[in-house]
Amino acid sequence: MTLTVNTAAALALGDDALVLSHRLGEWAGHAPVLEEEVALANIALDLLGQARVLLSMAGDEDELAYLREERAFRNLQLVEQPNGDFAHTIARQLYFSTYQRLLYTQLASGDGEFAPLAAKAVKEVAYHQDHAEHWTLRLGDGTDESHERMSRACQALWRFTGEMFQPLDGVGVDWDGMRAAWLESVGDTLRRATLTVPEGPQTGAWTAGAGRQGLHTESFGRMLAEMQHLHRSHPGASW
Amino acid sequence: MATASAHHTARTQADEAADEAARTAAYEVVFDAAVAADERIEPRDWMPDAYRSTLVRQIAQHAHSEIIGMQPEANWITRAPSLRRKAILMAKVQDEAGHGLYLYSAAETLGVSRDELLDKLHSGRQKYSSIFNYPTLTWADVGAIGWLVDGAAITNQVPLCRCSYGPYARAMIRVCKEESFHQRQGYELLLALSQGTPEQHAMAQDAVDRWWWPSLMMFGPPDDESSHSAQSMAWKIKRHSNDELRQRFVDIAVPQAESLGLTLPDPDLVWNEERGHHDFGAIDWTEFWDVLKGNGPCNDQRITQRRRAHEEGAWVREAAAAYADKHTNRAVGSTSTTGETGATRA
């Protein structure tokens, strides 16, 4: 498949939303409290809606979601990370929603092809970020156990955060400015939650733009196997 | 003298008891008249203890069914075969959690707490609909649940929109709107399969074969074996008998199956001109009672998953409570709470 520049960008952004939506969908029926069943499904649905618009800009949404193999997916490694405990899910959401909000705010103010999507999605991701920040506060500044778990989760996912600021061709935003704004926003939330900002590097040898190049982590292939199995078992069928 | 004083106390108690009984009798007359006039009973109104406990049992069981009912469908969220279907299914499972929330709120107006009810669900002291103890083995099961299970639920629930207890009736109005939507989506899912490839058609037929009889069982035991029916009908909690509702459901489902191009797994199913209804075969009540007693295919699995979600989420709920405590205390001594409510975020 030869991709034009903007198609590649639509795929990258669409894959982020698709994959994170799938991970959040795994929570259905397992959430710690009924209100979170509603909230997590709600966020997953918003993301799936964004994914469908973005993938449709790049081609047929179902072909792209169900018939590409692991090496052809362009999502960030952050969003494919397994749910872990509730703290891991919240840390992943805090990191990603903050990024998405900054990105979509910039895209919405421009006149590029992503502006209409971004204008709608920015309202959704503001809600997602708000939800993640409030849980970060509750868990960080809750009990000793929740503080410990939230601290571990923030630390564990930190090395996947640098990849978000690798410039995407065709997406005209101020990437360095976004990184600074992200660090300020996340840092402020973590401090209010009595947590410390992780000290390690934001990328490792395998995470510096790797997901965007189709290099993923091991659990991702298994996630795709589950997601694609039925669709691939009935070639050409419509649903 | 001790005896005179004891005598006096006993007499006072007897007088009070007589007053209490007279008062209860008077309240009961008002209550019965309100029910007879199709007025709504509201949370602050007097009601017989048995009316209250019947409603708590029924609404709680209904709420639990919404929560446990998320599992068989959530089982397919990660495998839904198109993004459109995945979005529909996620929205549906989300609605079910919402229905659970409305219904626990309705039950709480009767003086019980959601935690107490969840505890009864987790310990097996309160039940949920036996239909959710059947497994979802293929994608078509998602459609069969929408069409048949939600269809049966709606047949049961539409009359509950006129139930004598106001909060329950109002919850049912909201629930029924969303349920009808889910049912149409289930029907449409099955139709796509039925008109699809031969493999898809076979998948749809197999699902209908497996879900048909369990759906008929959702209306409960036959009228002559239903222990709560007569009283619930007298109180206008229930408006129609189990068998009446079951018949209504069969009469609606038969033509729908025809337009789907699918058959129903009952050789005795036939239109009875004289009755103006479909006759249908005998239900396997042994299986029904067996599933109800906990021996269905998924009883253990469903309740284990529910308990595990609750237990594994305990630290999260404790954290939220601890955080709320700390910040309520701080807020008392300060006039500014900005940043903690979410409402202030621009």
Side-chain angles (χ1 to χ4, degrees):
Chain A
M1 195 165 16
T2 352
L3 303 175
T4 68
V5 168
N6 282 355
T7 302
L11 267 189
L13 301 179
D15 286 351
D16 284 349
L18 177 72
V19 170
L20 185 55
S21 167
H22 185 95
R23 285 298 190 204
L24 291 172
E26 294 173 353
W27 270 103
H30 299 273
V33 59
L34 208 40
E35 285 80 354
E36 281 308 295
E37 294 284 2
V38 179
L40 295 173
N42 203 336
I43 296 169
L45 264 173
D46 287 345
L47 289 168
L48 185 53
Q50 295 165 17
R52 294 182 66 190
V53 173
L54 287 159
L55 293 183
S56 297
M57 290 168 79
D60 177 88
E61 61 176 38
D62 285 338
E63 266 179 44
L64 288 167
Y66 291 99
L67 298 176
R68 271 182 303 157
E69 295 190 355
E70 188 178 339
R71 295 280 282 107
F73 273 81
R74 293 289 179 264
N75 57 281
L76 299 163
Q77 289 185 354
L78 175 68
V79 295
E80 75 200 30
Q81 294 311 304
N83 288 334
D85 66 6
F86 190 68
H88 277 77
T89 292
I90 291 300
R92 185 183 63 196
Q93 201 64 45
L94 175 73
Y95 291 167
F96 183 72
S97 299
T98 305
Y99 157 77
Q100 243 194 340
R101 187 177 185 192
L102 292 165
L103 177 66
Y104 284 170
T105 302
Q106 286 201 44
L107 288 175
S109 67
D111 55 3
E113 63 175 326
F114 299 118
L117 163 93
K120 176 173 181 288
V122 77
K123 294 172 200 146
E124 298 167 350
V125 302
Y127 160 77
H128 305 171
Q129 185 188 1
D130 197 47
H131 173 263
E133 285 182 354
H134 280 92
W135 272 113
T136 302
L137 294 177
R138 288 186 201 108
L139 298 182
D141 193 15
T143 63
D144 289 347
E145 182 185 4
S146 70
H147 178 88
E148 178 56 30
R149 284 179 185 255
M150 195 61 208
S151 171
R152 245 181 294 159
C154 290
Q155 184 68 51
L157 293 169
W158 189 251
R159 70 189 178 94
F160 298 106
T161 55
E163 194 187 350
M164 296 189 286
F165 308 104
Q166 299 276 329
L168 272 171
D169 285 346
V171 178
V173 297
D174 169 12
W175 294 94
D176 287 338
M178 225 165 64
R179 179 196 287 270
W182 185 92
L183 274 172
E184 194 187 332
S185 172
V186 168
D188 178 57
T189 304
L190 294 182
R191 276 185 291 273
R192 282 197 294 140
T194 73
L195 296 160
T196 47
V197 178
E199 279 173 3
Q202 284 184 276
T203 51
W206 194 249
T207 57
R212 295 284 188 234
Q213 295 153 25
L215 292 169
H216 295 280
T217 51
E218 283 186 347
S219 68
F220 184 55
R222 199 166 281 107
M223 193 207 98
L224 282 189
E226 182 171 340
M227 183 174 105
Q228 298 181 337
H229 168 262
L230 178 59
H231 186 95
R232 285 179 179 270
S233 302
H234 295 262
S238 44
W239 300 93
Chain B
M1 275 192 310
T3 47
S5 154
H7 182 72
H8 179 77
T9 307
R11 225 175 61 184
T12 309
Q13 283 171 349
D15 286 349
E16 280 169 5
D19 285 354
E20 179 69 29
R23 214 170 359 203
T24 301
Y27 286 152
E28 196 137 19
V29 169
V30 175
F31 172 84
D32 288 344
V35 170
D38 273 335
E39 283 168 22
R40 293 267 188 269
I41 306 300
E42 296 298 337
R44 297 167 68 99
D45 294 340
W46 183 90
M47 63 188 85
D49 290 343
Y51 177 84
R52 187 184 297 274
S53 60
T54 294
L55 276 168
V56 168
R57 180 178 50 76
Q58 183 173 336
I59 301 174
Q61 176 169 328
H62 195 159
H64 299 333
S65 302
E66 297 283 355
I67 302 313
I68 297 284
M70 293 167 69
Q71 290 183 31
E73 294 180 288
N75 185 36
W76 280 92
I77 286 179
T78 55
R79 292 176 288 169
S82 73
L83 297 186
R84 174 171 166 263
R85 293 291 178 196
K86 187 174 184 160
I88 290 172
L89 184 56
M90 270 185 184
K92 180 179 180 188
V93 173
Q94 184 193 16
D95 281 349
E96 279 156 7
H99 295 173
L101 285 169
Y102 305 155
L103 287 160
Y104 285 122
S105 300
E108 286 184 327
T109 64
L110 292 159
V112 289
S113 73
R114 194 212 296 187
D115 286 347
E116 197 179 325
L117 299 177
L118 279 174
D119 190 50
K120 286 186 173 160
L121 169 67
H122 297 153
S123 60
R125 282 174 293 154
Q126 280 180 346
K127 299 197 180 307
Y128 55 88
S129 177
S130 64
I131 192 81
F132 300 121
N133 292 313
Y134 290 86
T136 45
L137 302 178
T138 72
W139 170 250
D141 290 29
V142 171
I145 289 183
W147 176 44
L148 294 173
V149 175
D150 293 345
I154 293 163
T155 311
N156 261 329
Q157 290 168 9
V158 164
L160 286 173
C161 298
R162 294 184 295 127
C163 156
S164 59
Y165 189 58
Y168 191 27
R170 289 188 288 273
M172 290 324 301
I173 291 170
R174 299 181 63 177
V175 169
C176 282
K177 277 183 195 157
E178 291 176 350
E179 292 288 0
S180 326
F181 190 57
H182 298 161
Q183 198 217 1
R184 278 210 301 279
Q185 289 171 330
Y187 179 89
E188 195 253 331
L189 190 165
L190 279 182
L191 188 64
L193 294 181
S194 179
Q195 296 177 345
T197 65
E199 291 79 12
Q200 287 177 305
H201 182 90
M203 192 193 276
Q205 184 61 61
D206 168 64
V208 169
D209 289 348
R210 282 182 289 110
W211 288 91
W212 173 249
W213 291 108
S215 302
L216 293 193
M217 294 178 197
M218 285 174 70
F219 296 93
D223 291 349
D224 47 11
E225 288 175 50
S226 175
S227 49
H228 303 294
S229 277
Q231 183 59 73
S232 287
M233 285 176 75
W235 277 329
K236 295 189 181 169
I237 294 174
K238 215 173 152 152
R239 297 282 180 155
H240 310 278
S241 79
N242 294 353
D243 288 333
E244 278 169 25
L245 291 168
R246 187 165 15 242
Q247 179 71 60
R248 186 179 295 181
F249 174 69
V250 171
D251 290 339
I252 293 170
V254 169
Q256 291 180 343
E258 273 167 30
S259 57
L260 277 172
L262 298 170
T263 59
L264 295 171
D266 180 358
D268 298 326
L269 188 63
V270 62
W271 175 251
N272 181 327
E273 190 65 54
E274 209 170 302
R275 289 203 307 126
H277 290 292
H278 291 86
D279 290 338
F280 53 98
I283 290 172
D284 182 353
W285 292 111
T286 314
E287 175 181 322
F288 173 78
W289 292 114
D290 221 31
V291 176
L292 212 64
K293 269 182 258 164
N295 302 319
C298 299
N299 298 59
D300 274 354
Q301 177 188 328
R302 300 287 185 243
I303 209 70
T304 302
Q305 179 179 326
R306 181 87 270 291
R307 269 196 219 125
R308 192 189 302 134
H310 191 74
E311 282 159 17
E312 287 178 357
W315 70 271
V316 177
R317 297 189 299 275
E318 283 157 17
Y323 179 84
D325 273 354
K326 288 183 205 180
H327 291 269
T328 315
N329 293 342
R330 276 179 218 168
V332 171
S334 125
T335 49
S336 164
T337 55
T338 13
E340 313 289 28
T341 62
T344 52
R345 176 174 282 280

